[in-house]
């Protein structure tokens, strides 16, 4: 079992609640025919978009207030803004999520949907169908291999979240092929993009690598991509304000950088031409 002494109080509360919910589930085992996450990322790349998993997150312990909009409408705006996939919170106590919301969102969109929750027991996998489930290496500890196998046996794709190289090694040993590196420190809740940059070089080349947390601008998006991220998981930066516009800004971050570079090169060439003109 995870030693919670080094976790922030809010995280300890989340984990405690997750354990209390460990017996939740439907009356039967779920079987999933998932939408392919890797293929969704590839389609985004082919379209010139940064692959982004946009998160439908009504609230969280690290944000102020609650977004009251219809989550289905928000999800549709995210997809319209270019999101390759969606993440839907189903944790009810700290994040205001629900499995009902995930069902509604998944029925409304045609992109893969990640269930964002804090699964610590196999029974929780049967709470709802999704295309991808999250397993947090630090939360499940030695149970990671068994939970990963149980999720895959049901048809789920599995995103295994890590925070450091030790957890990465555990994820790789367990057979994880979709790995997320979370930039948020679970002890202080501070965000540092260098976390991803320090862990990413050690991720196997054949794994799908996702940068999570702290990505708040096109510059951050480009930084994570330059460090090796195949995709980005973004919550608050998209949820705060105009959801569709925010999603479009991040998914088009690399296009904007190329346009700026071209504009700069053209300006430099013009300056050089002007300098060569006889006076």
């Amino acid at each position: 079992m995870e030693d919670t002494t080094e976790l922030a109080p809010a995280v300890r509360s989340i984990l405690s609640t997750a354990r209390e919910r460990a017996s939740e589930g439907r009356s039967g085992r779920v079987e999933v025919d998932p939408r392919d996450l890797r293929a969704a990322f590839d389609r985004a790349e082919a379209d010139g978009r940064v692959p982004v998993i946009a998160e439908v997150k009504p609230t969280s312990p690290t944000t102020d207030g609650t977004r009251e909009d219809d989550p289905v409408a928000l999800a549709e705006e995210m997809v319209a803004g270019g999101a390759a996939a969606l993440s839907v919170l189903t944790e009810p106590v700290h994040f205001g999520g629900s499995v009902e919301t995930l069902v509604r969102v998944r029925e409304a969109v045609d992109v893969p949907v990640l269930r964002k929750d804090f699964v610590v027991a196999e029974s929780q996998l049967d709470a709802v169908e999704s295309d991808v489930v999250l397993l947090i290496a630090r939360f499940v500890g030695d149970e990671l291999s068994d939970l990963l196998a149980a999720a895959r046996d049901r048809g789920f794709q599995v995103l295994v979240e890590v925070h450091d190289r030790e957890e990465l090694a555990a994820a790789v040993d367990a057979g994880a092929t979709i790995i997320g590196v979370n930039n948020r420190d679970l002890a202080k809740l501070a965000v540092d993009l260098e976390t991803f940059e320090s862990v990413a070089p050690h991720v196997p080349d054949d794994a799908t690598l996702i940068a999570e947390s702290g990505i708040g601008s096109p510059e951050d998006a480009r930084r994570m991509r330059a460090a090796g991220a195949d995709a980005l998981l973004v919550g608050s930066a998209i949820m705060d304000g105009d959801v569709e516009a925010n999603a479009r800004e991040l998914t088009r971050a690399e296009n904007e950088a190329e346009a700026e570079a071209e504009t700069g090169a053209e300006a430099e060439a013009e300056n050089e031409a002007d300098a060569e003109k006889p006076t």
Side-chain angles (χ1 to χ4, degrees), residues 224-247:
M224 293 293 91
R225 292 277 282 168
D230 295 307
L232 315 174
L233 176 60
V234 184
S236 298
I238 291 178
M239 284 291 291
D240 294 343
D242 186 327
V243 167
E244 182 175 342
N246 291 341

Side-chain angles (χ1 to χ4, degrees), residues 15-27:
L15 182 54
S16 175
T17 301
R19 289 171 177 162
E20 291 171 0
R21 296 167 55 218
S23 61
E24 73 180 4
R26 301 199 311 189
S27 57

Side-chain angles (χ1 to χ4, degrees), residues 102-166:
L102 188 147
V103 170
R104 291 179 58 222
V105 167
R106 191 164 181 254
E107 288 176 348
V109 300
D110 59 2
V111 301
V113 176
L114 162 70
R115 178 190 174 196
K116 181 74 172 291
D117 208 325
F118 306 91
V119 173
V120 294
E122 182 176 345
S123 61
Q124 291 172 294
L125 295 170
D126 296 317
V128 66
E129 294 182 18
S130 63
D131 303 293
V132 192
V133 293
L134 173 71
L135 294 178
I136 300 175
R138 189 171 300 183
F139 280 14
V140 301
D142 294 338
E143 302 297 319
L144 179 57
S145 292
D146 290 342
L147 286 173
L148 184 60
R152 286 175 172 164
D153 193 45
R154 288 163 168 80
F156 291 111
Q157 298 159 98
V158 184
L159 168 59
V160 178
E161 178 179 296
V162 305
H163 298 81
D164 55 34
R165 288 177 60 182
E166 182 179 355

Side-chain angles (χ1 to χ4, degrees), residues 183 191 193 212-222 224 232-238 240 246 249-250:
N183 289 306
V191 170
L193 297 185
E212 305 175 14
S213 295
I215 302 161
S217 67
E219 291 76 20
D220 292 338
R222 291 193 286 269
M224 293 293 91
L232 315 174
L233 176 60
V234 184
S236 298
I238 291 178
D240 294 343
N246 291 341
E249 182 180 39
L250 289 175

Side-chain angles (χ1 to χ4, degrees), residues 36-268:
D36 192 309
L37 186 65
R38 181 69 249 188
F41 293 163
D42 290 343
R43 285 192 295 271
E45 294 265 18
D47 189 40
R49 290 177 283 127
V50 176
V52 169
I53 305 173
E55 192 156 83
V56 181
K57 181 171 64 173
T59 188
S60 83
T62 58
T63 58
D64 295 326
T66 300
R67 183 122 189 197
E68 302 289 352
D69 309 54
D70 178 8
V72 173
L74 292 173
E76 290 173 334
E77 290 173 21
M78 291 171 179
V79 174
L86 299 176
S87 169
V88 177
L89 266 296
T90 59
E91 199 281 342
V93 178
H94 301 84
F95 292 86
S98 71
V99 294
E100 291 78 16
T101 294
L102 188 147
V103 170
R104 291 179 58 222
V105 167
R106 191 164 181 254
E107 288 176 348
V109 300
D110 59 2
V111 301
V113 176
L114 162 70
R115 178 190 174 196
K116 181 74 172 291
D117 208 325
F118 306 91
V119 173
V120 294
E122 182 176 345
S123 61
Q124 291 172 294
L125 295 170
D126 296 317
V128 66
E129 294 182 18
S130 63
D131 303 293
V132 192
V133 293
L134 173 71
L135 294 178
I136 300 175
R138 189 171 300 183
F139 280 14
V140 301
D142 294 338
E143 302 297 319
L144 179 57
S145 292
D146 290 342
L147 286 173
L148 184 60
R152 286 175 172 164
D153 193 45
R154 288 163 168 80
F156 291 111
Q157 298 159 98
V158 184
L159 168 59
V160 178
E161 178 179 296
V162 305
H163 298 81
D164 55 34
R165 288 177 60 182
E166 182 179 355
E167 291 176 10
L168 171 63
V172 173
D173 288 346
T177 57
I178 306 174
I179 297 171
V181 179
N182 195 326
N183 289 306
R184 190 178 301 281
D185 183 332
L186 294 183
K188 299 179 180 178
L189 297 182
V191 170
D192 186 349
L193 297 185
E194 290 185 4
T195 300
F196 181 87
E197 293 168 330
S198 67
V199 176
H202 306 281
V203 175
D205 291 339
D206 58 352
T208 298
L209 179 57
I210 300 172
E212 305 175 14
S213 295
I215 302 161
S217 67
E219 291 76 20
D220 292 338
R222 291 193 286 269
R223 177 177 171 182
M224 293 293 91
R225 292 277 282 168
D230 295 307
L232 315 174
L233 176 60
V234 184
S236 298
I238 291 178
M239 284 291 291
D240 294 343
D242 186 327
V243 167
E244 182 175 342
N246 291 341
R248 183 171 290 109
E249 182 180 39
L250 289 175
T251 59
R252 297 295 178 180
E254 289 171 3
N255 293 349
E256 293 170 4
E258 291 174 2
E260 290 173 2
E262 290 175 2
T263 300
E266 290 173 359
E268 184 176 349

